[in-house]
């Protein structure tokens, strides 16, 4: 017996639907400054944070996943039998063997669908992007069976008492991936992987990570440099194979021949050759970053402006920079911590940041760090913030980062109408309706979680009044560590 496995390949694989979930409660970072007795502006200006979502022992990564995936299915009227792959990206471990994906199968097995590929991906905050790439690759492969895929990303980000605690948060995202989508993933990825100990979780008896704050900042920027360089090099090769069309684009990538490379290395890869077509920030309408906190994103965007400067210092955008040669002479390693360089390019990029980055920060400003969901919360914020007619035809860069470290730079193109996503997410109004509570509630919630981490024969004590109607919650853990979940009744 022989089979013909060839089928027409799908076009425009991307986002068909998207949903966000976040806890009902948040605290003000300004109130937390007062509560912690630190100087005014330490969290709000120094970290660029406004609010931070949190939850108690009623929610875990499984409940977040059940809530946001079930909401995606319901809001968009998705037939559970139409899903052929389900990929999970999370850095949370509730069980060293059993995956989060298996808990989600209850949403599909009930409808007779147990034929769903995919499993959990874990590498700090990058797991969600690995899950996304897996889903896209499946649909674009010969193994695709014609059904769509769902990607889940989500975590509860909490820290031990100390300087890192204000950069916590919580949230989750579910994305429906399929062909003929209004938001398309372009094919080029620039990736950087390395062995670092900037943020990690070696203590399985605690939810709290071990963090080297200065190292995680420089590693993030180092990874951004490398992925951006690799992305530009690959696009340059892509354009040589497929010459740019008359409108300056080849398969969605701009020619970008407005500059030259001076051969300045970022420490990982050489800049594209002078004769190669160049990609610059001007080729993107928006920039979507992994968002641990606002100040890090501000530094990251400024860093890309600096990289454009290195590639083409004679560009008119940089005419106002005093003594540019001194900045060009800074070594790669020194540039990662040079305050004069950082201040120069943050100032220079202020207007572009407001136009191209601020629309992506709605979730972050309200929910804080969501680990694996942070990048896709930023993308959801962009969809929610920009009128669909204005967003159509635009391109956005995407930078995914996970400590340890793993990172990728890639891009999306909006080719269709995002009205349904914007309407059904209702993100801006939902964020505004969160309960802003005193910091003491946040501290009490962490104490409950800390005390009962890895507990068995346990019934959570958190009030269901602190949960959104329709959300899943942890009902109990039995003497064999088996978790049971229920749903808050809808009004």
């Amino acid at each position: 017996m022989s089979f013909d496995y060839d089928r027409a390949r799908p076009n425009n694989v991307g986002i068909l639907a998207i949903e966000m979930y976040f806890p009902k409660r948040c605290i003000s970072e300004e109130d937390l400054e007062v509560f912690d007795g630190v100087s005014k502006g330490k969290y709000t200006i120094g970290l660029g944070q406004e609010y931070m979502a949190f939850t108690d022992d009623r929610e875990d990564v499984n409940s977040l996943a059940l809530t946001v995936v079930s909401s995606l299915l319901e809001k968009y009227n998705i037939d559970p039998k139409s899903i052929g792959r389900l990929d999970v990206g999370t850095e949370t471990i509730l069980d060293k063997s059993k995956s989060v994906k298996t808990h989600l199968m209850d949403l599909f097995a009930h409808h007779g669908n147990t034929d769903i590929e995919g499993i959990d991906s874990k590498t700090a905050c990058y797991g969600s992007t690995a899950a996304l790439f897996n889903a896209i690759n499946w649909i674009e492969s010969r193994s695709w069976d014609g059904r769509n895929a769902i990607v889940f990303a989500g975590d509860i980000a909490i820290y031990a008492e100390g300087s890192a605690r204000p950069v916590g948060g919580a949230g989750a995202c579910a994305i429906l991936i399929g062909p003929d989508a209004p938001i398309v993933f372009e094919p080029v990825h620039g990736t950087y992987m390395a062995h670092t100990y900037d943020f990690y979780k070696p203590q399985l008896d605690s939810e709290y990570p071990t963090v080297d704050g200065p190292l995680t900042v420089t590693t993030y920027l180092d990874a951004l440099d490398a992925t951006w360089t690799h992305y530009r090099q690959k696009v340059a090769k892509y354009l040589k194979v497929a010459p740019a069309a008359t409108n300056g684009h080849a398969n969605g990538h701009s020619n970008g021949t407005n500059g030259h490379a001076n051969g300045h290395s970022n420490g990982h890869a050489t800049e594209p050759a002078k004769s190669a077509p160049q990609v610059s920030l001007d080729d993107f309408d928006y920039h979507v970053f992994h968002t641990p906190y606002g100040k890090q994103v501000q530094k990251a965007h400024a860093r890309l402006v600096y990289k454009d400067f290195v590639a083409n210092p004679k560009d008119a955008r940089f005419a106002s920079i005093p003594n540019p040669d001194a900045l060009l002479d800074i070594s790669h390693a020194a540039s990662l911590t040079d305050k004069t360089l950082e201040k120069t390019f943050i100032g220079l990029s202020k207007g572009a940041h407001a136009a191209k980055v601020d629309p992506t920060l709605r979730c972050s400003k309200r929910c804080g760090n969501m680990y694996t969901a942070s990048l896709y919360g930023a993308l959801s914020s962009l969809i929610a913030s920009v009128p669909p007619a204005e967003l159509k035809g635009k391109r956005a860069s995407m930078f995914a980062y996970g400590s340890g470290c793993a990172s990728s730079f890639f891009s999306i193109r909006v080719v269709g109408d995002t009205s349904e996503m914007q309407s059904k997410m209702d993100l801006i109004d939902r964020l505004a309706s969160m309960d802003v509570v005193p910091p003491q509630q946040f501290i009490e919630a962490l104490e409950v979680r800390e005390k009962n981490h890895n507990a068995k024969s346990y019934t959570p004590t958190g009030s269901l009044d602190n949960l959104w109607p329709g959300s899943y919650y942890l009902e109990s853990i039995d003497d064999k560590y088996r978790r049971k979940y229920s749903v808050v009744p809808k009004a």
Side-chain angles (χ1 to χ4, degrees):
M1 182 180 295
S2 62
F3 296 92
D4 181 6
Y5 289 105
D6 292 329
R7 63 161 68 226
R9 303 311 322 138
N11 294 315
N12 286 343
V13 175
I15 299 174
L16 296 168
I18 191 166
E19 174 67 337
M20 287 298 302
Y21 175 76
F22 34 83
K24 188 178 180 183
R25 289 184 292 172
C26 65
I27 59 169
S28 161
E29 294 276 2
E30 188 174 359
D31 290 347
L32 188 61
E33 290 172 346
V34 176
F35 183 85
D36 287 347
V38 301
S39 58
K40 183 177 177 60
K42 184 176 178 66
Y43 305 154
T44 51
I45 298 174
L47 297 174
Q49 291 299 95
E50 294 183 8
Y51 296 88
M52 176 170 55
F54 72 96
T55 189
D56 54 31
D57 60 349
R58 284 295 184 181
E59 293 188 292
D60 59 22
V61 67
N62 292 338
S63 71
L64 265 59
L66 288 164
T67 299
V68 74
V69 173
S70 63
S71 182
L72 178 81
L73 295 172
E74 181 180 339
K75 283 188 176 181
Y76 293 88
N77 194 28
I78 298 167
D79 181 356
K81 294 189 290 294
S82 71
I83 302 303
R85 188 174 181 100
L86 174 58
D87 281 288
V88 168
T90 181
E91 68 173 60
T92 302
I93 296 178
L94 293 179
D95 186 283
K96 290 183 287 185
S97 176
K98 185 174 174 62
S99 66
V100 174
K101 190 265 183 75
T102 57
H103 287 274
L104 286 171
M105 284 308 302
D106 280 348
L107 302 177
F108 301 90
H110 176 70
H111 296 273
N113 184 10
T114 56
D115 178 17
I116 301 181
E117 295 189 23
I119 207 68
D120 293 10
S121 295
K122 180 188 75 69
T123 289
C125 303
Y126 186 83
S128 53
T129 297
L132 176 69
F133 288 172
N134 287 339
I136 295 169
N137 290 340
W138 176 72
I139 292 174
E140 293 183 338
S141 77
R142 293 180 66 204
S143 296
W144 183 51
D145 65 8
R147 293 182 293 169
N148 293 329
I150 289 177
V151 175
F152 163 78
D155 287 288
I156 298 168
I158 54 177
Y159 296 83
E161 185 176 0
S163 60
R165 178 160 279 185
V167 295
C173 184
I175 310 171
L176 181 68
I177 303 294
D180 303 317
I183 300 177
V184 174
F185 291 99
E186 296 183 321
V188 178
H189 305 162
T191 292
Y192 172 69
M193 302 277 176
H195 170 48
T196 62
Y197 275 118
D198 57 315
F199 168 110
Y200 50 110
K201 294 179 177 178
Q203 302 178 70
L204 296 181
D205 60 348
S206 172
E207 287 192 274
Y208 300 140
T210 298
V211 185
D212 183 332
L215 180 59
T216 201
V217 170
T218 56
T219 304
Y220 181 108
L221 296 177
D222 203 24
L224 178 62
D225 277 7
T227 57
W228 173 231
T229 296
H230 295 320
Y231 176 86
R232 294 173 71 228
Q233 290 175 329
K234 288 181 179 180
V235 171
K237 291 179 181 178
Y238 194 88
L239 290 171
K240 284 183 179 179
V241 173
T246 56
N247 64 356
H249 291 264
N251 292 327
H253 291 287
S254 173
N255 187 321
T257 55
N258 61 343
H260 69 276
N262 66 0
H264 189 84
S265 172
N266 73 348
H268 304 285
T270 305
E271 295 286 346
K274 182 180 295 187
S275 61
Q278 293 251 337
V279 177
S280 79
L281 293 192
D282 287 342
D283 295 311
F284 301 99
D285 302 286
Y286 300 99
H287 305 292
V288 186
F289 294 93
H290 167 59
T291 308
Y293 52 93
K295 194 60 176 284
Q296 183 66 32
V297 171
Q298 186 181 34
K299 290 180 180 181
H301 177 248
R303 185 75 185 179
L304 290 181
V305 175
Y306 163 67
K307 297 301 290 183
D308 265 12
F309 165 71
V310 170
N312 185 16
K314 300 300 183 182
D315 189 285
R317 289 179 294 164
F318 310 120
S320 63
I321 295 178
N323 195 13
D325 290 341
L327 294 176
L328 290 170
D329 287 339
I330 298 173
S331 70
H332 168 71
S335 72
L336 295 171
T337 57
D338 190 285
K339 293 302 179 184
T340 298
L341 185 152
E342 178 183 292
K343 183 178 180 180
T344 296
F345 287 96
I346 285 179
L348 189 66
S349 62
K350 189 175 182 180
H353 187 281
K356 295 187 172 186
V357 181
D358 274 354
T360 73
L361 300 179
R362 296 272 193 168
C363 277
S364 173
K365 288 181 177 180
R366 197 69 167 173
C367 299
N369 193 354
M370 299 179 285
Y371 287 163
T372 53
S374 289
L375 177 63
Y376 302 99
L379 177 58
S380 298
S381 298
L382 178 64
I383 296 168
S385 300
V386 180
E390 183 180 328
L391 191 59
K392 187 175 181 179
K394 299 297 193 295
R395 294 180 70 229
S397 67
M398 304 278 291
F399 175 64
Y401 174 78
S403 291
C405 80
S407 55
S408 289
F409 194 103
F410 56 107
S411 52
I412 60 172
R413 185 163 35 102
V414 182
V415 300
D417 187 6
T418 55
S419 297
E420 184 182 29
M421 297 184 205
Q422 188 180 81
S423 173
K424 290 187 174 178
M425 270 199 299
D426 191 25
L427 185 62
I428 295 172
D429 286 345
R430 287 170 56 213
L431 289 169
S433 66
M434 294 173 72
D435 295 336
V436 182
V437 301
Q440 183 61 38
Q441 290 192 28
F442 166 62
I443 300 301
E444 290 170 354
L446 292 192
E447 289 174 347
V448 169
R449 293 184 68 90
E450 182 177 338
K451 180 180 178 181
N452 298 290
H453 182 65
N454 286 343
K456 66 177 180 177
S457 301
Y458 176 67
T459 300
T461 60
S463 172
L464 300 187
D465 291 339
N466 293 323
L467 303 176
W468 299 108
S471 59
Y472 282 75
Y473 66 91
L474 180 62
E475 181 179 322
S476 63
I477 305 174
D478 71 12
D479 61 349
K480 293 184 178 180
Y481 295 96
R482 295 176 297 192
R483 293 173 179 246
K484 181 180 179 181
Y485 297 91
S486 296
V487 182
V488 179
K490 294 185 179 180

